């Protein structure tokens, strides 16, 4: 009988390499069992109950076999894959496993509904998920009772609500970022499926760094070590969160470039790619610079799921800025919006501290309520003009920048079958979500874009009715080919609401800065209002007759008519009254930053006010 040893590996090094050489280099030892080959492998967990687990308790297989083939028969390379996790992790953590299958990380309901909405295939309500799933809890706002697996696409049949190219787009491209699947096979994207997607760390180049003698350290698609962690790093989250809202990259101050790959390396070559892209380095989020990781803000319920089927990730969110910082009129609650305590926050008198979950670093958390250290500008913005705090998300002013990827040009080749991230097959059931095991039941897609920006992101109203940063998300131009035969070229869909399928949506950019956006930027810039900059010439950038009717940055017109879609229920551009009011404040800024009035927002007396008005009129003439 082999010695007891914690072997709960989330992505098996064993199943990802050739074993032909192992049997020649290692002899079987009844006392060592699996460790006859895997000498030096790390103990997977230091948790008391897990120390006594054997290899087969987690990986299945045959512990009494004396040959490699017999020992690995019916083995699970990844015991935490959602297809078999109920028999492994779920034997002790049944609630966590059940909740995980209802989480946004598993269902991808928001991405699916948003994509299908912009392809004109459905309304904003969530109907579909990666797989059929029922809620464990019901009744909360922004949730549904069940979701069905998204349909497959048949190009020989007419497009319809249940036969849309959007479903093929999702199946072949977007849905690799859910915990039913492994990651894309390229630097930055390697990861495991199931619980291991978060709890077993991968480096960006995905090579093994442990002591197992059987593992080839030069081969990719390996975890750093055969080790579980609850200290989830920013880098681990970024294995998935580098597309769409790009929050994992933005948080670190990284924004993809147009692919230049410069400055050159020491050898004169281009920089290596991450997530298939080259990156510029911008200002990082102040929380990142302070040493905070994603798990210092985001809770277990948000990431693991809590039994509800949320339709969008913003509904699953329970942490708010005021949880830690309070507001200008109330103390920080040190609790989430659902009244769950944030145990790593503590109050000592007027001082609030946060202890980071990875390094245990104690950070002072600035408090807004009765804060006498606010700058003059901060006092005016948050106290004197109280409506800012009432009507705006904190990130509206304090996001230093936001990723803006305009024009998502997607080409589908219906003559070239390709992998379907929701449809795999393998003798090892836990490996059906690996890219190499996907069945070619979808079609090949390629993507490009018109241009990228990061400066001066637009604003609009989010689903909570607050002013929020808006970014393009996403602006699909569909081109469909069959080999070299063109079928559809640069098609723009119309949503069920009658707006363009090109989209702008609210976002928390994860680029927070102590320094806020200026009053002038928001109150005098037409791009910020959603009116566009007027610089990009759509007619010259598209073939004749295929250009959209508006600039890609422009999602509302001067009369407040919405031009581009918003896939979030309740989210919208500013209406005409709101734009007029914002712009009217811009007219006043010429005086209300003057020496006579200063930044207090109010003239000391009527004489001074009239003097400034006369001065402005004279300068205007």
């Amino acid at each position: 009988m082999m010695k007891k040893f914690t072997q709960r590996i989330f992505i098996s090094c064993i199943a990802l390499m050739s074993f032909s050489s192992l049997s020649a280099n290692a002899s079987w030892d009844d006392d060592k069992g699996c460790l006859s080959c895997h000498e030096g492998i790390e103990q997977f967990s230091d948790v008391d109950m897990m120390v006594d687990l054997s290899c087969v308790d987690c990986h299945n297989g045959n512990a009494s076999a004396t040959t490699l083939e017999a020992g690995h028969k019916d083995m699970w390379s990844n015991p935490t894959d959602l297809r078999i996790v109920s028999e492994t992790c779920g034997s002790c953590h049944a609630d966590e496993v059940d909740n995980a299958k209802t989480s946004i990380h598993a269902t991808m309901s928001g991405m699916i509904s948003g994509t299908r909405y912009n392809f004109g295939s459905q309304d904003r309500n969530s109907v579909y998920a990666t797989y059929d799933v029922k809620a464990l809890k019901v009744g909360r706002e922004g949730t549904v009772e069940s979701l069905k697996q998204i349909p497959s696409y048949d190009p020989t049949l007419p497009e319809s609500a249940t036969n849309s190219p959007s479903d093929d787009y999702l199946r072949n491209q977007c849905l690799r970022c859910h915990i039913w699947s492994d990651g894309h096979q390229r630097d930055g994207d390697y990861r495991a499926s199931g619980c291991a997607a978060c709890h077993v760390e991968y480096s960006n180049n995905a090579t093994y760094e442990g002591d197992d003698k059987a593992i080839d350290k030069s081969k990719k698609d390996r975890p750093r070590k055969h080790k579980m962690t609850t200290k989830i790093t920013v880098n681990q989250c970024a294995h998935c969160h580098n597309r769409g809202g790009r929050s994992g990259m933005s948080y670190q101050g990284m924004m993809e470039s147009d692919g230049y790959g410069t400055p050159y390396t020491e050898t004169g070559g281009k920089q290596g790619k991450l997530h298939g892209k080259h990156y510029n380095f911008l200002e990082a989020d102040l929380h990142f610079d302070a040493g905070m990781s994603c798990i210092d803000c985001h809770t277990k319920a948000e990431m693991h799921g809590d039994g509800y089927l949320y339709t969008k990730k913003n509904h699953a969110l329970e942490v708010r800025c005021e949880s830690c910082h309070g507001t200008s009129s109330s103390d920080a609650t040190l609790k989430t919006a659902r009244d769950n305590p944030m145990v790593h926050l503590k109050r000592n008198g007027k001082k609030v501290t946060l202890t980071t979950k990875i390094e245990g670093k104690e950070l002072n958390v600035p408090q807004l309520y009765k804060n006498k250290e606010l700058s003059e500008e901060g006092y005016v913005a948050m106290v004197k003009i109280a409506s800012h705090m009432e009507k705006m998300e904190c990130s509206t002013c304090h996001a230093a920048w936001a990723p803006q990827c305009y024009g998502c040009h997607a080409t589908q080749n219906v003559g070239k079958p390709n992998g379907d991230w929701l449809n795999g097959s393998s003798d090892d059931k836990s490996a059906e979500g690996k890219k190499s095991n996907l069945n070619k039941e979808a079609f090949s897609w390629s993507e490009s874009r018109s241009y990228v920006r990061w400066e001066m992101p637009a604003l609009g109203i989010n689903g909570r009715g607050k002013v929020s940063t808006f970014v393009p998300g996403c602006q699909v131009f569909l081109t469909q080919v069959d080999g070299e035969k063109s079928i559809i070229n640069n098609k723009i869909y119309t949503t069920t609401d009658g707006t363009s399928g090109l989209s702008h949506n609210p976002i928390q950019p994860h680029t927070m800065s102590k320094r806020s956006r200026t009053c002038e930027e928001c109150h005098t810039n037409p791009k910020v209002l959603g009116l566009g900059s007027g610089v990009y010439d759509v007619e010259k950038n598209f073939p004749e007759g295929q250009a959209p009717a508006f600039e890609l940055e422009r999602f509302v017109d001067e009369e407040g008519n919405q031009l581009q879609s918003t896939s979030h229920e309740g989210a919208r551009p500013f209406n005409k009254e709101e734009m007029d009011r914002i712009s009217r404040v811009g007219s006043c800024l010429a005086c209300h930053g003057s020496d006579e009035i200063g930044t207090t927002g109010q003239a000391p007396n009527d004489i001074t006010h009239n003097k400034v008005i006369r001065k402005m009129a004279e300068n205007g003439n």
Side-chain angles (χ1 to χ4, degrees):
M1 185 69 179
M2 64 174 289
K3 292 180 179 179
K4 295 290 185 178
F5 188 80
T6 303
Q7 301 289 330
R8 188 170 289 221
I9 191 169
F10 279 7
I11 180 69
S12 178
C13 303
I14 300 172
L16 296 175
M17 64 179 296
S18 170
F19 295 95
S20 58
S21 62
L22 292 185
S23 56
N25 295 329
S27 57
W28 184 260
D29 185 325
D30 287 337
D31 290 330
K32 291 183 178 180
C34 302
L35 302 184
S36 299
C37 293
H38 292 281
E39 182 183 355
I41 192 170
E42 297 77 28
Q43 180 168 300
F44 185 65
S45 173
D46 297 325
V47 175
D48 289 342
M49 291 182 66
M50 295 181 70
V51 171
D52 291 330
L53 293 170
S54 70
C55 302
V56 295
D57 286 333
C58 296
H59 285 282
N60 212 19
N62 185 349
S64 60
T66 58
T67 66
L68 186 83
E69 291 73 19
H72 287 183
K73 183 177 174 56
D74 299 324
M75 191 187 80
W76 295 323
S77 59
N78 178 6
T80 77
D81 183 86
L82 295 191
R83 294 161 184 80
I84 53 93
V85 70
S86 294
E87 300 180 53
T88 55
C89 306
S91 60
C92 293
H93 304 285
D95 289 344
E96 283 84 354
V97 165
D98 290 342
N99 285 339
K101 292 179 180 179
T102 68
S103 71
I104 287 280
H105 277 148
T107 67
M108 300 293 282
S109 56
M111 177 182 285
I112 292 171
S113 63
T115 302
R116 300 187 92 254
Y117 174 71
N118 288 331
F119 272 75
S121 303
Q122 66 169 76
D123 59 19
R124 290 187 180 93
N125 296 313
S126 287
V127 181
Y128 296 108
T130 47
Y131 298 96
D132 293 345
V133 60
K134 291 184 178 180
L136 303 175
K137 301 175 184 177
V138 297
R140 180 172 285 173
E141 182 182 3
T143 66
V144 293
E145 294 184 6
S146 64
L147 294 165
K148 299 181 292 185
Q149 185 180 31
I150 66 170
S152 294
Y153 172 65
D154 185 346
T156 66
L157 299 176
E159 282 192 38
S160 68
T162 55
N163 190 54
S164 170
S166 62
D167 295 325
D168 198 65
Y169 190 20
L170 287 159
R171 282 175 171 268
N172 179 252
Q173 290 288 312
C174 314
L175 293 182
R176 63 175 177 257
C177 284
H178 63 87
I179 59 174
W180 282 93
S181 76
D182 277 29
H184 195 23
Q185 303 294 288
R186 64 185 181 190
D187 284 2
D189 291 345
Y190 290 105
R191 62 169 177 83
S193 59
C195 311
C198 299
H199 289 286
V200 170
E201 188 177 11
Y202 279 61
S203 66
N204 281 329
N205 65 0
T207 54
Y208 179 64
E209 301 170 12
D211 297 322
D212 187 337
K213 299 292 193 296
I215 305 303
D216 185 343
K217 294 185 179 182
S218 68
K219 290 191 175 182
K220 296 194 173 187
D221 200 11
R222 311 287 200 275
R224 284 188 185 274
K225 294 185 177 181
H226 176 253
K227 197 78 176 173
M228 173 188 176
T229 182
T230 57
K231 296 181 177 182
I232 317 301
T233 64
V234 174
N235 190 64
Q236 186 76 357
C237 298
H239 293 325
C240 282
H241 292 277
N242 57 72
R243 291 185 48 152
R246 296 163 169 78
S247 57
M249 308 313 294
S250 299
Y251 187 61
Q252 301 172 78
M254 298 173 67
M255 172 66 192
E256 69 254 30
S257 71
D258 282 319
Y260 306 119
T262 50
Y264 294 121
T265 63
E266 291 181 359
T267 59
K270 287 192 173 184
Q271 302 284 344
K273 287 187 176 182
L274 198 63
H275 317 297
K277 307 177 184 78
H278 295 291
Y279 282 88
N280 291 305
F281 290 85
L282 310 179
E283 179 182 348
D285 191 294
L286 62 86
H287 300 91
F288 177 77
D289 283 341
M292 291 174 62
S293 61
C294 308
I295 60 174
D296 287 317
C297 286
H298 294 290
T299 67
K300 175 183 175 180
E302 289 175 351
M303 293 181 286
H304 279 215
D306 57 9
Y308 290 96
L309 283 177
Y310 293 100
T311 57
K312 296 283 186 184
K313 62 185 177 184
N314 56 289
H315 294 305
L317 186 73
E318 63 174 344
V319 171
R320 307 288 183 201
C321 300
E322 53 266 33
S323 299
C324 298
H325 296 285
T327 71
S328 57
S329 59
S330 62
D331 275 323
T333 62
L334 310 191
K335 294 182 179 181
T336 72
R338 297 197 175 108
D339 210 33
N340 295 317
M342 300 182 72
V343 295
H344 59 313
L345 284 169
K346 291 184 179 179
R347 177 180 279 113
N348 183 7
K350 294 182 178 181
K351 184 179 180 181
V352 173
T353 59
L354 178 146
T355 302
T356 62
K357 293 180 179 178
I358 292 181
E359 296 181 351
K361 181 180 180 181
E362 187 174 275
L363 302 174
N364 179 54
V365 183
Q367 299 298 293
L368 293 179
Y369 185 49
K370 295 182 179 179
N371 186 342
K372 297 181 180 179
E373 298 180 4
L374 283 174
S375 66
E376 188 176 5
E377 292 85 356
Y379 181 78
V380 170
M382 290 187 281
V383 180
K384 295 290 288 185
I385 308 176
S387 59
H388 278 164
M389 297 295 288
E390 297 165 3
K391 297 179 180 180
M392 298 166 63
E393 300 287 6
C394 300
S395 58
T396 304
C397 285
H398 285 282
W401 57 277
Q404 300 156 62
C405 182
Y406 294 98
C408 185
H409 299 267
T411 301
Q412 179 194 36
N413 187 348
V414 298
K416 186 178 180 181
N418 208 332
D420 180 343
W421 284 102
L422 304 184
N423 187 340
S425 57
S426 172
D427 292 338
D428 175 2
K429 193 172 183 63
S430 73
E432 290 181 2
K434 290 188 65 62
K435 186 178 181 180
S436 57
N437 293 329
L438 302 181
N439 294 327
K440 292 189 175 182
E441 300 291 340
F443 297 102
S444 295
W445 290 76
S446 60
E447 297 174 301
S448 190
R449 63 274 184 103
S450 293
Y451 59 97
V452 293
R453 298 286 185 270
W454 60 72
E455 70 284 351
M456 295 181 295
L459 303 178
I461 304 296
N462 67 13
R464 296 210 303 157
K466 292 200 170 191
V467 178
S468 170
T469 303
F470 268 54
V471 298
C474 59
Q475 299 179 329
V476 175
F477 295 87
L478 175 67
T479 294
Q480 192 180 66
V481 299
D482 184 351
E484 295 183 0
K485 177 185 175 183
S486 177
I487 302 172
I488 296 171
N489 194 219
N490 293 317
K491 178 177 179 178
I492 303 171
Y493 283 86
T494 300
T495 71
T496 55
D497 298 322
T499 56
S500 168
L502 306 186
S503 177
H504 265 73
N505 279 312
I507 188 176
Q508 210 290 19
H510 290 72
T511 59
M512 299 294 277
S513 170
K514 185 177 181 180
R515 179 190 68 257
S516 72
R517 299 173 76 169
T518 65
C519 306
E520 289 81 6
E521 181 180 334
C522 293
H523 286 279
T524 66
N525 192 324
K527 180 189 172 184
V528 175
L529 296 181
L531 296 171
S533 64
V535 174
Y536 184 79
D537 191 327
V538 292
E539 293 293 338
K540 291 181 179 179
N541 279 286
F542 283 83
E544 186 176 353
Q546 295 178 2
F550 43 80
E551 180 187 2
L552 297 181
E553 296 172 353
R554 183 177 170 89
F555 56 97
V556 66
D557 67 18
E558 285 77 4
E559 298 302 313
N561 299 308
Q562 184 169 343
L563 301 176
Q564 298 190 35
S565 62
T566 52
S567 58
H568 292 214
E569 191 67 44
R572 60 173 177 81
F574 293 126
N575 58 38
K576 188 178 189 310
E577 180 183 352
E578 289 164 337
M579 285 192 287
D580 288 345
R581 186 165 63 247
I582 293 168
S583 297
R584 190 161 54 246
V585 172
S587 300
C588 301
L589 289 175
C591 296
H592 285 265
S594 66
D595 293 336
E596 293 90 343
I597 293 181
T599 58
T600 61
Q602 187 174 354
N605 51 58
D606 289 342
I607 294 174
T608 303
H609 191 237
N610 291 334
K611 177 184 176 181
V612 172
I613 292 175
R614 284 196 303 273
K615 182 178 179 181
M616 182 179 69
E618 291 169 0
N619 291 339
N621 292 330

